[in-house]
Amino acid sequence: MGDPVAWRSVLYGSSVFADDGTKVGTVHEILGSDSEDIFHGVRVRLSNRRDVMVSSDDVTNLSTDGVSTQLTRTAIEALPTFAESENYHLSSVGWLRKHLGWKQDSGSDEEAG
């Protein structure tokens, strides 16, 4: 693999690799919280144009060559289709009143300010 990079430096369109080094898709989006500097995972575009989320717990390496995972191709392809609601967080109102307080995260990958 190439040189290691921070999660914010992974390029969209980079390759995503299964545990055996085979390419399974490309990075469609890096999921994380800029304000809290927390990497949540990778939205992967599979060859069939379906998107799945690989959790940060399953990512083994982020590099200039792409994203490596500990998952097999079969396991990645079996992941549920990514839903936009994955990009929502629960505010205190939602915690108290079911989903009334769900708010969509910023539509931008840039930090505020």
Side-chain angles (χ1 to χ4, degrees):
M1 292 300 302
D3 294 328
V5 296
W7 68 272
R8 291 181 182 160
S9 299
V10 174
L11 298 176
Y12 290 15
S14 297
S15 297
V16 177
F17 302 98
D19 65 341
D20 64 358
T22 59
K23 180 178 174 180
V24 293
T26 57
V27 174
H28 189 69
E29 185 177 6
I30 294 295
L31 305 169
S33 170
D34 282 327
S35 62
E36 297 173 356
D37 194 24
I38 298 174
F39 170 56
H40 296 293
V42 181
R43 180 176 177 178
V44 179
R45 172 70 45 97
L46 302 175
S47 60
N48 64 3
R49 310 267 312 148
R50 186 173 73 89
D51 290 354
V52 298
M53 177 186 163
V54 174
S55 169
S56 61
D57 292 339
D58 294 318
V59 172
T60 58
N61 191 36
L62 302 172
S63 77
T64 53
D65 290 341
V67 176
S68 297
T69 73
Q70 65 180 1
L71 300 175
T72 64
R73 171 184 287 280
T74 303
I76 292 171
E77 291 173 348
L79 290 169
T81 299
F82 179 84
E84 287 298 324
S85 62
E86 299 288 334
N87 282 337
Y88 284 70
H89 66 277
L90 188 58
S91 72
S92 59
V93 173
W95 180 73
L96 297 171
R97 295 190 210 157
K98 298 196 178 185
H99 299 298
L100 296 175
W102 282 92
K103 297 179 181 178
Q104 186 170 18
D105 285 348
S106 168
S108 168
D109 290 333
E110 302 298 321
E111 289 186 57

